[in-house]
Amino acid sequence: MDMGCKVVVFFAILYTVTAEIYIVTMEGDPIISYKGGVNGFEATAVESDEKIDTTSDLVTSYGRHLERKHDMLLGMLFKEGSYKKLYSYKHLINGFAAHLSPDQAEMLRRSPGVKSVSRDWKVRKLTTHTPQFLGLPTDVWPTGGGYDRAGEDIVIGFIDSGIFPHHPSFASHHTSVPYGPHPSYKGKCEDDPRTKLSFCNGKIIGAQHFAEAAKAAGAFNPDVDFASPMDGDGHGSHTAAIAAGNNGVPVRMHGYEFGKASGMAPRARIAVYKALYRLFGGFVSDVVAAIDQAVHDGVDILSLSVGPNSPPTTTKTTFLNPFDATLLGAVKAGVFVAQAAGNGGPFPKTLVSYSPWITTVAAAIDDRRYKNHLTLGNGKMLAGIGLSPSTRPHRSYKMVSANDVLLGSSGVRYNPSDCQKPEVLNKKLVEGNILLCGYSFNFVAGSASIKKVAETARHLGAAGFVLVVENVSPGTKFDPVPSGIPGILITDVSKSMDLIDYYNVTTSRDWMGRVKSFNAEGSIGDGLEPILHKSAPEVALFSARGPNTKDFSFQDADLLKPDILAPGSLIWSAWSQNGTDEANYVAGEGFALISGTSMAAPHIAGIAALVKQKHPQWSPAAIKSALMTTSTVMDRAGRPLQAQQYSETETMTLVKATPFDYGSGHVNPSAALDPGLVFDAGYEDYLGFLCTTPGINAHEIRNFTNTPCNYKMRHPSNFNSPSIAVSHLVRTQTVTRRVTNVAEEEETYTITSRMEPSIAIEVSPPAMTLRAGASREFSVTLTVRSVTGVYSFGEVTLKGSRGHKVSLPVVALGQKR
């Protein structure tokens, strides 16, 4: 008996050490595509773009049948207690996630009825002014009855880090029209385990969390991650408020109001599906469970500011993995999906969102910039950034370097120039003066923050602080940080050198280098008011770039990504009082000004909600088409869009942007409400794209879609996307597109095209007339004139007789063979 106990303990320890999380897909259709054939269970399949009726007894019973099959398989193969099933996936894919040993995973892989076994992989988290910049208050909200009706009854689901439900951006009493029950949403609301209060309030209509994989992996810490929809990070509250936060919420920090915040669709409902966490990001099996639940509950839009840390280990194709396959099921069920493009820019092939059924969103800088300046005692003015008040007008202050005001040998243990620890600096020498600090690599790594510099300066009684950048690493992003005391960050290295030279020349020292007297003087300007630039929008430096890739060998895909550009730089939005996602916004803050494609995706999710509200019967592809074909490739000054890029000396510069930077262009919400034509697509079209993409195994496609291949499309470039991409153009290729007139009247369209000289382009027919609701095809022929080794860019434009105009970008790489 003792021996038996020891053996059991040994195996338990072995299991704990070696077990991992796996996602298993099974033979047999999920609910969304089951057409019958199993004895005792009638069909539950939906047509393309149709929602699942989860109240149906047929759906419920077939779902239970699938779950029983998952449990039976595990129970037959493995001893109870040697594994743990985390989720059953029934609605969009048929399978489950389980915590297993590698040997158990291999046994499953060989079992009849099992199609694939994939080891789980991690994912990571990738506004006061943008509604005005996008023209929502004047051109869009009035068409739907005003801001207090903008997004009425549209449910946006957020797969993110949760929500801080007590923020005024999510208050249900903030509106003049009370929220009633939603007519169709069926999601549930978890209670806060500490307060026993519901996370929902009418504005927030659903709130659930998913952490089984995180717990099984030992990554979940309930003290900081919260076993509830509570946002322990800040990211989820920020993205939710961008898309659907209340209108007119004052943004107050450090006693100053920076404006009034609003979501894109302020009347839309918010459904929270927390699957991302503070320290480790998240696991795909938790994210897939969240998506599956969101579609089951009846969301209209999904906002995903999340992307993979690395490629899946068992999938060669970017389009086929449990994550993208689940999103394909979501789109089949009529859900529009917006996903962040990724923050790996400005380098090519850095996208983390690949598939044609997803709307991939790149990040733009809008017209609002925050700038500040430091005036030296010699009259020189140095430009910088800092969201802070000025020092007292008409007065200069002595400047002291942190390295010159150390207390004894304190600096041996710390980097004193970071100004992170007030206790190592001499308060008597700092008080009443401007403290000079160095912007070291610690700020890039996240172990130092501007927020902490401000706290140090305040603690020591400084008149203000200056952070000096002496070296810039590629990819370093400098954002202004709100501060209650005067402060500035000098980001230009040459300007930093001017400051250092001035300080060294004016500071008197003894023969050992110790300061005898501080004589450098300066004053800090007011950085609280933004400056509006006509050069906007611009593609942000960090925004991931194309070309899109079809596999993890980085071979180019015949599909343009990103799809569209939206504001994603310096976005004011709600923050969680528990928030720690950004070092410069600590717990207790109500708002944060942050950047990323994570901020761009919810802009598109919210605008898609406005389009869905006006056109409730439109498919996700039609909404995507309306957004893309009406976007703009010109900035506010009427010049072609520019993109931030690195020069040869690794300094930031502006270059002419291409579709690999911005997709179709920058979103234009008012035009998207009335595009005239749409390029529609459905489930069969997505399958056709997969089946005709070279290198994708038809068996692998069937594994993920439960559908045999059809090859009617002939080539993936013929997928009916509102863009054209040909990655391997030899001699001549003709692609086709189909447009549908969604306007209320007949209209005649003239079709024109242009292309860079190395490739010739022709369209046929040159004009066509479409009745309301009618569809017609046109063709685009591309011919190689010269092989340059780089992509050529162009555009096809359809201009209507009633004022509609749609454009689709063209990218092609000419090759000899």
Side-chain angles (χ1 to χ4, degrees), residues 487-524:
I488 186 170
L489 173 65
I490 309 294
T491 59
D492 186 324
V493 173
S494 65
K495 299 285 192 297
S496 296
M497 292 302 107
D498 288 344
L499 170 57
I500 292 168
D501 290 345
Y502 168 69
Y503 180 82
N504 287 336
V505 166
T506 56
T507 301
S508 173
R509 300 178 185 272
D510 63 18
W511 65 276
M512 291 185 67
R514 292 174 300 202
V515 174
K516 293 198 292 182
S517 63
F518 295 103
N519 301 311
E521 293 188 340
S523 61
I524 299 170

Side-chain angles (χ1 to χ4, degrees), residues 517-728:
S517 63
F518 295 103
N519 301 311
E521 293 188 340
S523 61
I524 299 170
D526 187 342
L528 295 172
E529 290 296 326
I531 300 166
L532 301 183
H533 280 244
K534 279 191 175 180
S535 60
E538 296 168 356
V539 182
L541 187 71
F542 58 81
S543 187
R545 309 297 211 263
N548 193 15
T549 53
K550 66 181 179 181
D551 57 36
F552 293 108
S553 299
F554 292 95
Q555 292 188 67
D556 293 6
D558 292 300
L559 179 74
L560 179 64
K561 291 281 178 173
D563 291 308
I564 199 163
L565 185 67
S569 178
L570 302 183
I571 306 298
W572 279 114
S573 191
W575 199 243
S576 172
Q577 290 202 355
N578 311 298
T580 58
D581 186 45
E582 294 282 329
N584 289 312
Y585 296 92
V586 296
E589 309 266 32
F591 293 90
L593 180 76
I594 55 178
S595 302
T597 54
S598 282
M599 285 66 251
H603 276 89
I604 292 298
I607 295 165
L610 300 175
V611 178
K612 177 83 172 175
Q613 180 188 12
K614 184 169 182 182
H615 305 284
Q617 302 308 314
W618 280 12
S619 68
I623 295 172
K624 177 180 178 181
S625 172
L627 293 169
M628 288 178 64
T629 60
T630 59
S631 60
T632 179
V633 294
M634 309 298 283
D635 67 17
R636 291 298 167 90
R639 299 169 302 204
L641 288 179
Q642 293 185 296
Q644 292 185 339
Q645 184 57 265
Y646 286 126
S647 68
E648 291 180 1
T649 58
E650 294 188 344
T651 58
M652 200 278 288
T653 187
L654 288 171
V655 299
K656 184 181 177 184
T658 76
F660 289 148
D661 304 317
Y662 57 65
S664 60
H666 191 274
V667 65
N668 180 354
S670 61
L673 293 178
D674 182 23
L677 299 175
V678 295
F679 295 78
D680 210 350
Y683 190 67
E684 290 299 322
D685 300 292
Y686 299 126
L687 289 180
F689 171 82
L690 293 172
C691 295
T692 55
T693 295
I696 302 185
N697 185 293
H699 178 71
E700 191 179 8
I701 294 170
R702 183 153 195 167
N703 272 355
F704 280 101
T705 65
N706 299 287
T707 309
C709 261
N710 74 75
Y711 299 95
K712 290 182 289 185
M713 197 174 285
R714 299 191 308 279
H715 192 277
S717 293
N718 288 324
F719 171 69
N720 203 45
S721 168
S723 61
I724 294 173
V726 183
S727 64
H728 194 93

